[in-house]
Coordinates of all heavy atoms in Angstrom, one line a residue:
M1 N 100.1 -43.5 -17.4 CA 99.4 -42.4 -18.1 C 100.4 -41.9 -19.3 O 101.6 -41.9 -19.0 CB 99.3 -41.2 -17.0 CG 98.7 -40.0 -17.6 SD 98.5 -38.6 -16.5 CE 100.2 -37.8 -16.8
E2 N 99.8 -41.6 -20.4 CA 100.6 -41.1 -21.4 C 100.4 -39.7 -21.7 O 99.2 -39.2 -21.8 CB 100.0 -41.9 -22.8 CG 101.1 -42.1 -23.8 CD 100.5 -43.0 -24.9 OE1 100.3 -44.3 -24.6 OE2 100.3 -42.5 -26.0
A3 N 101.4 -38.9 -21.9 CA 101.4 -37.5 -21.9 C 101.3 -37.1 -23.4 O 101.9 -37.7 -24.3 CB 102.6 -36.8 -21.4
N4 N 100.6 -36.1 -23.8 CA 100.4 -35.7 -25.1 C 101.6 -34.8 -25.4 O 101.8 -33.7 -24.7 CB 99.0 -34.8 -25.3 CG 98.7 -34.5 -26.7 OD1 99.6 -34.7 -27.6 ND2 97.6 -34.0 -27.0
L5 N 102.4 -35.2 -26.4 CA 103.7 -34.4 -26.7 C 103.3 -33.0 -27.3 O 104.1 -32.1 -27.0 CB 104.4 -35.3 -27.8 CG 105.7 -34.8 -28.1 CD1 106.8 -34.6 -27.0 CD2 106.4 -35.4 -29.3
F6 N 102.3 -32.9 -28.0 CA 101.9 -31.6 -28.5 C 101.7 -30.6 -27.4 O 102.1 -29.4 -27.4 CB 100.7 -31.7 -29.6 CG 100.3 -30.4 -30.1 CD1 101.1 -29.8 -31.0 CD2 99.1 -29.7 -29.7 CE1 100.7 -28.5 -31.6 CE2 98.8 -28.5 -30.1 CZ 99.6 -27.9 -31.3
L7 N 100.9 -30.9 -26.4 CA 100.7 -30.1 -25.3 C 101.9 -29.7 -24.5 O 102.0 -28.7 -24.0 CB 99.4 -30.6 -24.4 CG 98.1 -30.6 -25.0 CD1 97.1 -31.2 -24.0 CD2 97.7 -29.3 -25.3
L8 N 102.7 -30.8 -24.3 CA 104.0 -30.6 -23.6 C 104.9 -29.5 -24.2 O 105.5 -28.6 -23.7 CB 104.7 -31.9 -23.3 CG 104.2 -32.8 -22.3 CD1 104.8 -34.1 -22.3 CD2 104.1 -32.1 -21.0
I9 N 105.0 -29.6 -25.7 CA 105.9 -28.7 -26.4 C 105.1 -27.3 -26.4 O 105.9 -26.4 -26.3 CB 106.0 -29.2 -27.8 CG1 106.9 -30.4 -27.9 CG2 106.6 -28.2 -28.7 CD1 106.9 -31.1 -29.2
G10 N 103.8 -27.3 -26.5 CA 103.1 -26.0 -26.4 C 103.3 -25.3 -25.1 O 103.6 -24.1 -25.0
A11 N 103.3 -26.1 -24.0 CA 103.5 -25.5 -22.6 C 105.0 -25.0 -22.5 O 105.2 -23.9 -22.0 CB 103.3 -26.5 -21.6
G12 N 105.9 -25.7 -23.0 CA 107.3 -25.3 -23.0 C 107.4 -23.9 -23.8 O 108.3 -23.0 -23.4
V13 N 106.9 -23.9 -25.0 CA 107.0 -22.7 -25.8 C 106.3 -21.5 -25.1 O 106.9 -20.4 -25.1 CB 106.4 -22.9 -27.2 CG1 106.2 -21.7 -28.0 CG2 107.2 -24.0 -27.9
L14 N 105.2 -21.6 -24.5 CA 104.5 -20.5 -23.7 C 105.4 -20.1 -22.7 O 105.4 -18.8 -22.5 CB 103.1 -21.1 -23.4 CG 102.0 -21.0 -24.4 CD1 100.8 -21.8 -23.7 CD2 101.7 -19.8 -24.9
I15 N 105.9 -21.0 -21.9 CA 106.8 -20.6 -20.7 C 108.0 -19.9 -21.4 O 108.4 -19.0 -20.6 CB 107.0 -21.8 -19.8 CG1 105.7 -22.2 -19.2 CG2 108.2 -21.6 -18.8 CD1 105.8 -23.5 -18.4
A16 N 108.7 -20.4 -22.2 CA 109.8 -19.8 -22.7 C 109.7 -18.4 -23.3 O 110.5 -17.4 -23.0 CB 110.5 -20.8 -23.9
C17 N 108.5 -18.2 -24.1 CA 108.1 -16.9 -24.6 C 107.8 -16.0 -23.5 O 108.2 -14.8 -23.5 CB 107.0 -17.0 -25.5 SG 107.4 -17.8 -27.2
G18 N 107.1 -16.4 -22.3 CA 106.9 -15.7 -21.2 C 108.1 -15.2 -20.5 O 108.2 -14.0 -20.0
V19 N 109.0 -16.0 -20.4 CA 110.2 -15.7 -19.7 C 111.0 -14.7 -20.5 O 111.6 -13.7 -20.0 CB 111.1 -16.9 -19.4 CG1 112.5 -16.4 -18.9 CG2 110.5 -17.8 -18.4
Y20 N 111.0 -14.8 -21.7 CA 111.7 -13.8 -22.6 C 111.0 -12.4 -22.5 O 111.8 -11.4 -22.5 CB 111.7 -14.3 -24.2 CG 112.2 -13.3 -25.0 CD1 113.6 -13.2 -25.1 CD2 111.4 -12.6 -25.9 CE1 114.2 -12.2 -26.0 CE2 111.9 -11.7 -26.9 CZ 113.3 -11.5 -26.8 OH 113.8 -10.6 -27.7
L21 N 109.7 -12.5 -22.6 CA 109.0 -11.1 -22.3 C 109.2 -10.6 -21.1 O 109.2 -9.3 -21.0 CB 107.5 -11.4 -22.8 CG 107.1 -11.6 -24.2 CD1 105.7 -11.9 -24.3 CD2 107.6 -10.4 -25.2
M22 N 109.3 -11.4 -19.9 CA 109.5 -10.8 -18.7 C 110.8 -10.1 -18.5 O 111.0 -9.3 -17.5 CB 109.3 -11.9 -17.5 CG 107.9 -12.4 -17.5 SD 107.0 -11.7 -16.3 CE 108.0 -11.8 -14.8
L23 N 111.7 -10.5 -19.3 CA 113.1 -9.9 -19.1 C 113.2 -8.6 -19.8 O 114.3 -7.9 -19.6 CB 114.2 -10.7 -19.9 CG 114.4 -12.1 -19.1 CD1 115.3 -13.0 -19.8 CD2 114.8 -12.0 -17.7
D24 N 112.2 -8.1 -20.4 CA 112.2 -6.7 -20.9 C 111.8 -5.7 -19.9 O 111.2 -6.0 -19.0 CB 111.3 -6.6 -22.2 CG 111.6 -5.5 -23.1 OD1 112.5 -4.7 -22.8 OD2 110.9 -5.3 -24.1
T25 N 112.1 -4.3 -20.2 CA 111.8 -3.3 -19.2 C 110.4 -2.7 -19.5 O 109.9 -2.0 -18.7 CB 112.8 -2.2 -19.3 OG1 112.8 -1.7 -20.6 CG2 114.2 -2.7 -18.9
S26 N 109.8 -3.1 -20.6 CA 108.5 -2.6 -20.9 C 107.4 -3.2 -20.1 O 107.5 -4.4 -19.9 CB 108.1 -2.9 -22.4 OG 106.8 -2.5 -22.7
M27 N 106.6 -2.4 -19.5 CA 105.5 -2.9 -18.7 C 104.5 -3.8 -19.4 O 104.0 -4.8 -19.0 CB 104.8 -1.9 -17.9 CG 103.8 -2.2 -16.9 SD 104.5 -3.1 -15.6 CE 104.9 -1.8 -14.4
T28 N 104.1 -3.4 -20.8 CA 103.2 -4.1 -21.4 C 103.8 -5.5 -21.7 O 102.9 -6.6 -21.7 CB 102.8 -3.4 -22.7 OG1 104.1 -3.1 -23.4 CG2 102.0 -2.2 -22.4
R29 N 105.0 -5.6 -22.0 CA 105.7 -7.1 -22.3 C 105.7 -7.8 -20.9 O 105.6 -9.0 -21.1 CB 107.1 -6.9 -22.9 CG 107.0 -6.3 -24.3 CD 108.3 -6.3 -25.0 NE 108.2 -5.7 -26.4 CZ 109.2 -6.1 -27.3 NH1 110.1 -6.9 -27.0 NH2 108.8 -5.5 -28.5
M30 N 105.9 -7.2 -20.0 CA 106.1 -7.9 -18.8 C 104.6 -8.6 -18.3 O 104.4 -9.7 -18.0 CB 106.4 -7.1 -17.5 CG 107.8 -6.7 -17.4 SD 108.1 -5.8 -15.9 CE 109.7 -5.1 -16.3
I31 N 103.5 -7.8 -18.7 CA 102.2 -8.2 -18.4 C 101.9 -9.4 -19.4 O 101.3 -10.4 -19.0 CB 101.1 -7.2 -18.6 CG1 101.3 -6.1 -17.6 CG2 99.7 -7.6 -18.7 CD1 100.6 -4.8 -17.8
M32 N 102.3 -9.3 -20.6 CA 102.1 -10.4 -21.6 C 102.9 -11.6 -21.1 O 102.4 -12.8 -21.4 CB 102.4 -10.0 -23.1 CG 101.5 -8.8 -23.5 SD 102.1 -8.3 -25.1 CE 102.2 -9.8 -26.2
G33 N 104.1 -11.4 -20.6 CA 104.9 -12.6 -20.2 C 104.3 -13.3 -19.0 O 104.3 -14.4 -19.0
V34 N 103.8 -12.5 -18.0 CA 103.1 -13.1 -16.9 C 101.8 -13.9 -17.4 O 101.6 -15.1 -16.8 CB 102.6 -12.0 -15.9 CG1 101.5 -12.7 -14.8 CG2 103.7 -11.6 -15.2
T35 N 101.2 -13.4 -18.4 CA 99.9 -14.2 -18.9 C 100.4 -15.5 -19.6 O 99.8 -16.5 -19.4 CB 99.2 -13.3 -19.9 OG1 99.0 -12.0 -19.2 CG2 98.1 -13.9 -20.4
L36 N 101.5 -15.4 -20.4 CA 102.0 -16.6 -21.2 C 102.6 -17.7 -20.1 O 102.3 -18.9 -20.3 CB 103.0 -16.2 -22.1 CG 102.6 -15.4 -23.4 CD1 103.7 -15.1 -24.3 CD2 101.5 -16.4 -24.1
I37 N 103.2 -17.2 -19.0 CA 103.6 -18.2 -18.0 C 102.5 -18.9 -17.4 O 102.5 -20.0 -17.1 CB 104.7 -17.5 -17.1 CG1 106.0 -17.2 -17.9 CG2 105.0 -18.4 -15.8 CD1 107.0 -16.3 -17.0
G38 N 101.5 -18.0 -17.1 CA 100.3 -18.6 -16.3 C 99.6 -19.6 -17.2 O 99.2 -20.7 -16.8
N39 N 99.5 -19.4 -18.5 CA 98.8 -20.2 -19.5 C 99.7 -21.6 -19.7 O 99.2 -22.7 -19.8 CB 98.5 -19.6 -20.8 CG 97.5 -18.6 -20.7 OD1 96.6 -18.6 -19.8 ND2 97.4 -17.6 -21.6
G40 N 100.9 -21.4 -19.8 CA 101.9 -22.5 -19.9 C 101.9 -23.5 -18.6 O 101.8 -24.7 -18.6
A41 N 101.7 -22.8 -17.5 CA 101.6 -23.6 -16.2 C 100.3 -24.3 -16.3 O 100.1 -25.4 -15.7 CB 101.8 -22.6 -15.1
N42 N 99.3 -23.7 -16.7 CA 98.0 -24.5 -16.8 C 97.9 -25.6 -17.8 O 97.4 -26.6 -17.4 CB 96.8 -23.4 -17.2 CG 96.5 -22.5 -16.2 OD1 96.8 -22.6 -15.1 ND2 96.0 -21.2 -16.6
L43 N 98.7 -25.4 -18.9 CA 98.9 -26.7 -19.7 C 99.6 -27.8 -19.0 O 99.2 -28.9 -19.2 CB 99.6 -26.3 -20.9 CG 98.6 -25.6 -22.1 CD1 99.4 -25.2 -23.3 CD2 97.6 -26.6 -22.4
L44 N 100.6 -27.4 -18.3 CA 101.4 -28.6 -17.6 C 100.5 -29.2 -16.5 O 100.5 -30.4 -16.3 CB 102.5 -27.9 -16.9 CG 103.7 -27.5 -17.8 CD1 104.9 -26.9 -17.2 CD2 104.2 -28.8 -18.5
L45 N 99.6 -28.3 -15.8 CA 98.8 -28.9 -14.9 C 97.7 -29.8 -15.5 O 97.3 -30.9 -15.1 CB 98.0 -27.9 -14.0 CG 98.9 -27.2 -12.9 CD1 98.1 -26.0 -12.3 CD2 99.3 -28.2 -11.9
L46 N 97.3 -29.4 -16.8 CA 96.3 -30.2 -17.4 C 96.9 -31.5 -17.9 O 96.2 -32.5 -17.8 CB 95.9 -29.5 -18.7 CG 94.9 -30.1 -19.7 CD1 93.5 -30.2 -19.0 CD2 94.8 -29.4 -20.9
Q47 N 98.2 -31.6 -18.1 CA 98.8 -32.8 -18.6 C 99.0 -33.8 -17.3 O 99.0 -34.9 -17.5 CB 100.2 -32.5 -19.1 CG 100.2 -32.1 -20.5 CD 99.6 -33.3 -21.4 OE1 100.1 -34.4 -21.4 NE2 98.6 -32.9 -22.1
S48 N 99.1 -33.2 -16.1 CA 99.1 -34.0 -14.9 C 97.8 -34.7 -14.5 O 97.8 -35.5 -13.5 CB 99.8 -33.4 -13.8 OG 98.8 -32.2 -13.3
G49 N 96.6 -34.2 -15.1 CA 95.4 -34.7 -14.7 C 94.9 -36.0 -15.1 O 94.1 -36.7 -14.7
G50 N 95.6 -36.5 -16.1 CA 95.3 -37.9 -16.7 C 94.5 -37.8 -18.1 O 94.7 -36.7 -18.7
Q51 N 94.0 -38.9 -18.4 CA 93.5 -39.0 -19.8 C 92.3 -38.0 -20.0 O 91.3 -38.0 -19.1 CB 93.2 -40.4 -20.0 CG 92.5 -40.8 -21.4 CD 92.1 -42.3 -21.5 OE1 92.3 -43.1 -20.6 NE2 91.6 -42.5 -22.6
A52 N 92.1 -37.5 -21.2 CA 91.0 -36.6 -21.3 C 89.8 -37.4 -21.6 O 89.7 -38.4 -22.1 CB 91.2 -35.8 -22.6
G53 N 88.6 -36.9 -20.9 CA 87.4 -37.4 -21.1 C 87.0 -38.4 -19.9 O 85.8 -38.9 -19.9
A54 N 87.9 -38.9 -19.1 CA 87.7 -39.8 -18.1 C 87.0 -39.1 -16.9 O 87.5 -38.0 -16.5 CB 88.9 -40.4 -17.7
P55 N 85.9 -39.6 -16.3 CA 85.2 -39.0 -15.2 C 86.1 -39.1 -14.0 O 86.7 -40.2 -13.9 CB 83.9 -39.7 -15.2 CG 84.1 -41.0 -15.8 CD 85.1 -40.8 -16.8
P56 N 86.1 -38.1 -13.1 CA 86.8 -38.1 -11.8 C 86.1 -38.9 -10.8 O 86.4 -38.9 -9.7 CB 87.0 -36.7 -11.5 CG 85.9 -36.0 -12.1 CD 85.5 -36.7 -13.4
I57 N 85.1 -39.6 -11.1 CA 84.2 -40.4 -10.1 C 84.7 -41.9 -10.2 O 84.6 -42.6 -11.2 CB 82.8 -40.3 -10.5 CG1 82.4 -38.8 -10.4 CG2 81.9 -41.0 -9.5 CD1 81.1 -38.3 -11.0
L58 N 84.8 -42.6 -9.0 CA 85.1 -43.9 -8.9 C 83.9 -44.8 -9.0 O 82.8 -44.3 -8.8 CB 85.9 -44.2 -7.6 CG 87.3 -43.6 -7.6 CD1 87.9 -43.9 -6.2 CD2 88.3 -44.0 -8.7
D59 N 84.0 -46.0 -9.3 CA 82.8 -46.9 -9.4 C 81.9 -46.7 -10.5 O 80.7 -46.8 -10.3 CB 82.3 -47.2 -8.0 CG 83.3 -47.7 -7.0 OD1 84.2 -48.4 -7.3 OD2 83.1 -47.3 -5.8
R60 N 82.3 -46.2 -11.6 CA 81.3 -45.9 -12.6 C 81.4 -47.1 -13.5 O 82.5 -47.9 -13.6 CB 81.9 -44.7 -13.6 CG 81.7 -43.4 -13.0 CD 80.2 -43.0 -13.1 NE 80.1 -41.5 -13.1 CZ 79.1 -40.9 -13.5 NH1 78.0 -41.5 -14.0 NH2 79.1 -39.6 -13.4
D61 N 80.2 -47.4 -14.2 CA 80.2 -48.7 -15.0 C 80.8 -48.4 -16.2 O 81.4 -49.5 -17.0 CB 78.7 -49.0 -15.3 CG 78.0 -49.5 -14.0 OD1 78.7 -49.9 -13.0 OD2 76.7 -49.2 -13.9
S62 N 81.0 -47.3 -16.8 CA 81.5 -46.9 -18.2 C 83.1 -47.0 -18.2 O 83.7 -47.2 -19.2 CB 81.0 -45.6 -18.6 OG 81.5 -44.6 -17.8
M63 N 83.7 -46.7 -17.0 CA 85.1 -46.6 -16.9 C 85.8 -47.5 -15.8 O 85.0 -47.6 -14.8 CB 85.6 -45.1 -16.8 CG 85.1 -44.2 -17.9 SD 86.0 -44.4 -19.4 CE 87.5 -43.8 -19.1
S64 N 86.9 -48.0 -16.0 CA 87.5 -48.7 -14.9 C 88.2 -47.7 -14.0 O 88.5 -46.5 -14.4 CB 88.5 -49.7 -15.3 OG 89.5 -49.0 -16.1
T65 N 88.6 -48.0 -12.7 CA 89.1 -47.1 -11.8 C 90.5 -46.7 -12.1 O 90.9 -45.6 -11.7 CB 89.1 -47.7 -10.4 OG1 89.8 -48.8 -10.4 CG2 87.6 -47.9 -9.9
D66 N 91.2 -47.4 -12.9 CA 92.6 -47.1 -13.1 C 92.7 -46.0 -14.3 O 93.7 -45.5 -14.5 CB 93.5 -48.2 -13.5 CG 93.0 -49.0 -14.8 OD1 91.8 -48.9 -15.0 OD2 93.8 -49.7 -15.3
Q67 N 91.5 -45.8 -15.0 CA 91.5 -45.0 -16.1 C 90.8 -43.7 -15.8 O 90.6 -42.8 -16.6 CB 90.8 -45.5 -17.4 CG 91.6 -46.7 -18.0 CD 90.9 -47.2 -19.1 OE1 89.7 -46.8 -19.4 NE2 91.5 -48.0 -19.9
S68 N 90.5 -43.3 -14.5 CA 89.8 -42.2 -14.1 C 90.7 -41.0 -13.9 O 91.8 -41.2 -13.6 CB 89.0 -42.5 -12.8 OG 89.8 -42.7 -11.7
A69 N 90.2 -39.9 -14.3 CA 90.9 -38.7 -14.3 C 91.2 -38.2 -12.8 O 90.3 -38.5 -11.9 CB 90.3 -37.5 -15.0
D70 N 92.2 -37.4 -12.5 CA 92.5 -36.9 -11.2 C 91.7 -35.6 -11.0 O 92.0 -34.6 -11.8 CB 93.9 -36.7 -10.9 CG 94.3 -36.3 -9.5 OD1 93.4 -36.5 -8.7 OD2 95.4 -36.0 -9.4
P71 N 90.8 -35.5 -10.2 CA 90.1 -34.1 -9.9 C 90.9 -32.9 -9.3 O 90.7 -31.8 -9.4 CB 88.9 -34.6 -8.9 CG 89.2 -35.7 -8.3 CD 90.2 -36.4 -9.2
L72 N 91.9 -33.5 -8.6 CA 92.9 -32.5 -8.0 C 93.6 -31.5 -9.0 O 93.7 -30.4 -8.8 CB 93.9 -33.1 -7.2 CG 95.0 -32.2 -6.4 CD1 94.1 -31.4 -5.4 CD2 96.1 -33.0 -5.8
A73 N 93.9 -32.1 -10.2 CA 94.5 -31.3 -11.2 C 93.5 -30.3 -11.8 O 93.9 -29.1 -12.0 CB 95.0 -32.2 -12.4
Q74 N 92.3 -30.6 -11.9 CA 91.3 -29.8 -12.5 C 91.1 -28.6 -11.4 O 91.0 -27.4 -11.8 CB 90.2 -30.4 -12.7 CG 90.2 -31.5 -13.8 CD 88.9 -32.5 -13.9 OE1 88.0 -32.2 -13.2 NE2 89.0 -33.4 -14.6
A75 N 91.0 -28.8 -10.2 CA 90.9 -27.8 -9.2 C 92.1 -26.9 -9.1 O 92.0 -25.7 -8.9 CB 90.7 -28.5 -7.8
M76 N 93.2 -27.5 -9.4 CA 94.5 -26.6 -9.4 C 94.5 -25.7 -10.5 O 95.0 -24.6 -10.5 CB 95.7 -27.5 -9.2 CG 96.0 -28.2 -7.9 SD 97.4 -29.3 -7.8 CE 98.7 -28.2 -8.2
I77 N 94.0 -26.2 -11.7 CA 94.0 -25.3 -13.0 C 93.1 -24.2 -12.6 O 93.4 -23.0 -13.0 CB 93.5 -26.1 -14.1 CG1 94.7 -27.1 -14.5 CG2 93.2 -25.2 -15.2 CD1 94.3 -27.9 -15.7
L78 N 91.8 -24.4 -12.0 CA 91.0 -23.4 -11.7 C 91.5 -22.3 -10.8 O 91.4 -21.1 -10.9 CB 89.7 -23.8 -11.0 CG 88.7 -24.6 -12.1 CD1 87.5 -25.2 -11.3 CD2 88.3 -23.6 -13.2
T79 N 92.3 -22.8 -9.8 CA 93.1 -21.9 -8.9 C 94.1 -21.2 -9.5 O 94.3 -20.0 -9.3 CB 93.5 -22.7 -7.8 OG1 92.5 -23.5 -7.1 CG2 94.1 -21.8 -6.7
A80 N 94.8 -21.8 -10.4 CA 95.9 -21.0 -11.2 C 95.4 -20.0 -12.2 O 96.0 -19.0 -12.3 CB 96.8 -22.2 -11.9
I81 N 94.3 -20.3 -12.6 CA 93.6 -19.2 -13.5 C 93.3 -18.0 -12.6 O 93.5 -16.9 -13.1 CB 92.4 -19.8 -14.2 CG1 92.9 -20.8 -15.3 CG2 91.5 -18.8 -14.8 CD1 91.7 -21.7 -15.9
V82 N 92.6 -18.2 -11.6 CA 92.3 -17.1 -10.8 C 93.5 -16.3 -10.2 O 93.5 -15.1 -10.3 CB 91.4 -17.6 -9.5 CG1 91.3 -16.5 -8.5 CG2 90.2 -18.2 -9.9
I83 N 94.6 -17.0 -9.9 CA 95.8 -16.4 -9.4 C 96.6 -15.6 -10.5 O 96.8 -14.6 -10.3 CB 96.8 -17.4 -8.7 CG1 96.1 -17.8 -7.4 CG2 98.2 -16.9 -8.5 CD1 97.0 -19.0 -7.0
S84 N 96.6 -16.2 -11.8 CA 97.1 -15.5 -12.8 C 96.4 -14.3 -13.3 O 97.0 -13.2 -13.7 CB 97.4 -16.4 -14.0 OG 96.3 -16.9 -14.5
M85 N 95.1 -14.4 -13.2 CA 94.2 -13.2 -13.6 C 94.4 -12.1 -12.5 O 94.4 -10.8 -12.9 CB 92.7 -13.6 -13.7 CG 92.5 -14.4 -15.0 SD 93.1 -13.6 -16.4 CE 91.9 -12.2 -16.5
A86 N 94.5 -12.5 -11.3 CA 94.7 -11.5 -10.3 C 96.1 -10.8 -10.4 O 96.2 -9.6 -10.3 CB 94.7 -12.1 -8.9
M87 N 97.2 -11.5 -10.9 CA 98.4 -11.0 -11.1 C 98.4 -10.1 -12.2 O 98.9 -9.0 -12.3 CB 99.5 -12.0 -11.3 CG 99.9 -12.8 -10.1 SD 100.9 -11.8 -9.0 CE 102.3 -11.3 -10.0
V88 N 97.7 -10.4 -13.3 CA 97.5 -9.5 -14.5 C 96.8 -8.3 -14.2 O 97.2 -7.2 -14.6 CB 96.9 -10.2 -15.6 CG1 96.5 -9.4 -16.8 CG2 97.8 -11.4 -16.2
G89 N 95.8 -8.4 -13.4 CA 95.0 -7.2 -13.0 C 95.8 -6.3 -12.0 O 95.8 -5.0 -12.2
F90 N 96.7 -6.8 -11.1 CA 97.6 -6.0 -10.4 C 98.7 -5.2 -11.3 O 98.8 -4.1 -11.0 CB 98.3 -6.8 -9.4 CG 99.3 -6.1 -8.5 CD1 98.8 -5.2 -7.6 CD2 100.6 -6.4 -8.5 CE1 99.6 -4.5 -6.7 CE2 101.5 -5.7 -7.7 CZ 101.0 -4.7 -6.8
M91 N 99.2 -5.9 -12.2 CA 100.1 -5.4 -13.0 C 99.5 -4.3 -14.0 O 100.3 -3.4 -14.3 CB 100.9 -6.5 -13.9 CG 101.8 -7.3 -13.0 SD 102.8 -8.4 -14.0 CE 104.0 -7.4 -14.7
L92 N 98.3 -4.6 -14.5 CA 97.5 -3.5 -15.2 C 97.4 -2.3 -14.4 O 97.4 -1.1 -14.8 CB 96.3 -4.1 -15.7 CG 96.4 -4.9 -16.9 CD1 95.1 -5.6 -17.3 CD2 97.0 -4.3 -18.2
A93 N 97.2 -2.5 -13.1 CA 96.9 -1.3 -12.2 C 98.2 -0.6 -12.0 O 98.2 0.7 -11.9 CB 96.3 -1.8 -10.8
L94 N 99.3 -1.3 -11.9 CA 100.6 -0.6 -11.8 C 100.9 0.1 -13.0 O 101.5 1.2 -13.1 CB 101.7 -1.7 -11.6 CG 101.8 -2.4 -10.1 CD1 102.9 -3.4 -10.2 CD2 102.1 -1.3 -9.1
A95 N 100.7 -0.5 -14.3 CA 100.9 0.2 -15.6 C 100.0 1.5 -15.7 O 100.6 2.5 -16.1 CB 100.5 -0.8 -16.7
M96 N 98.8 1.4 -15.0 CA 98.0 2.6 -15.2 C 98.5 3.7 -14.2 O 98.6 4.9 -14.7 CB 96.5 2.3 -14.8 CG 95.6 3.5 -14.9 SD 93.9 2.8 -14.5 CE 93.1 4.3 -14.2
Q97 N 99.0 3.4 -13.1 CA 99.6 4.3 -12.2 C 100.9 4.9 -12.7 O 101.1 6.0 -12.7 CB 99.9 3.6 -10.8 CG 100.4 4.5 -9.9 CD 99.3 5.6 -9.3 OE1 98.1 5.3 -9.5 NE2 99.7 6.7 -8.8
R98 N 101.6 4.0 -13.4 CA 103.0 4.5 -14.0 C 102.5 5.6 -15.2 O 103.1 6.5 -15.4 CB 103.6 3.4 -14.6 CG 105.0 3.7 -15.1 CD 105.8 2.6 -15.6 NE 107.0 3.0 -16.3 CZ 107.8 2.1 -16.7 NH1 107.7 0.9 -16.5 NH2 108.9 2.6 -17.3
W99 N 101.5 5.3 -15.9 CA 101.0 6.1 -17.1 C 100.5 7.4 -16.4 O 100.8 8.4 -17.0 CB 99.9 5.5 -17.8 CG 99.2 6.4 -18.7 CD1 98.1 7.1 -18.7 CD2 99.8 6.7 -20.1 NE1 97.9 7.8 -19.8 CE2 98.9 7.6 -20.7 CE3 101.0 6.4 -20.7 CZ2 99.1 8.2 -21.9 CZ3 101.2 6.9 -22.0 CH2 100.3 7.8 -22.6
N100 N 99.9 7.5 -15.3 CA 99.3 8.6 -14.7 C 100.4 9.5 -14.2 O 100.4 10.8 -14.2 CB 98.2 8.3 -13.7 CG 97.0 7.8 -14.2 OD1 96.6 8.1 -15.3 ND2 96.3 7.1 -13.4
L101 N 101.5 8.9 -13.7 CA 102.5 9.6 -13.2 C 103.5 10.2 -14.2 O 104.0 11.2 -14.1 CB 103.3 8.9 -12.1 CG 102.6 8.5 -10.8 CD1 103.4 7.5 -9.9 CD2 102.3 9.8 -10.2
H102 N 103.8 9.4 -15.1 CA 104.9 9.8 -16.1 C 104.4 10.1 -17.6 O 105.1 10.5 -18.4 CB 106.0 8.6 -16.2 CG 106.6 8.3 -14.9 ND1 107.4 9.2 -14.3 CD2 106.5 7.2 -14.1 CE1 107.8 8.6 -13.2 NE2 107.3 7.5 -13.0
R103 N 103.0 9.7 -17.8 CA 102.4 9.9 -19.1 C 103.2 9.1 -20.3 O 103.3 9.5 -21.4 CB 102.3 11.2 -19.6 CG 101.5 12.1 -18.8 CD 100.0 11.7 -18.8 NE 99.0 12.5 -18.1 CZ 98.0 11.9 -17.6 NH1 97.6 10.8 -18.0 NH2 97.2 12.6 -16.9
R104 N 103.8 7.9 -19.8 CA 104.3 7.0 -20.9 C 104.4 5.6 -20.1 O 104.5 5.5 -19.0 CB 105.7 7.4 -21.4 CG 106.8 7.5 -20.2 CD 108.0 8.0 -20.7 NE 109.0 8.1 -19.6 CZ 109.8 7.1 -19.2 NH1 109.7 5.9 -19.7 NH2 110.7 7.2 -18.2
I105 N 104.3 4.5 -21.0 CA 104.5 3.2 -20.5 C 105.8 2.7 -20.5 O 106.4 2.1 -19.7 CB 103.4 2.3 -21.2 CG1 102.1 2.7 -20.7 CG2 103.7 0.9 -20.8 CD1 101.0 1.7 -21.1
A106 N 106.5 3.1 -21.6 CA 108.0 2.7 -22.0 C 108.1 1.3 -21.8 O 108.0 0.4 -21.2 CB 108.9 3.5 -21.1

């Protein structure tokens, strides 16, 4: 399997920017950092799935079995999207509660 260098660099940049934003005390930057880390992790999972466009079904006439994509990576990406959206929703609820208590996000 050959990894796409552009997607690997993009995932690294997203995760690095997300970690940088998570180190700030501002709640909005923390939320943006969690979102960027989740998207970077999704790109890394996408790279582990195999060649793009290959069907995850064995014994197809159009593709050989050694070139088929791994369906587990696709299922893990869907799960990671749901988990990252739940984390962002929870952090938005925390930011709203903080706003209601202190009338500032800071």
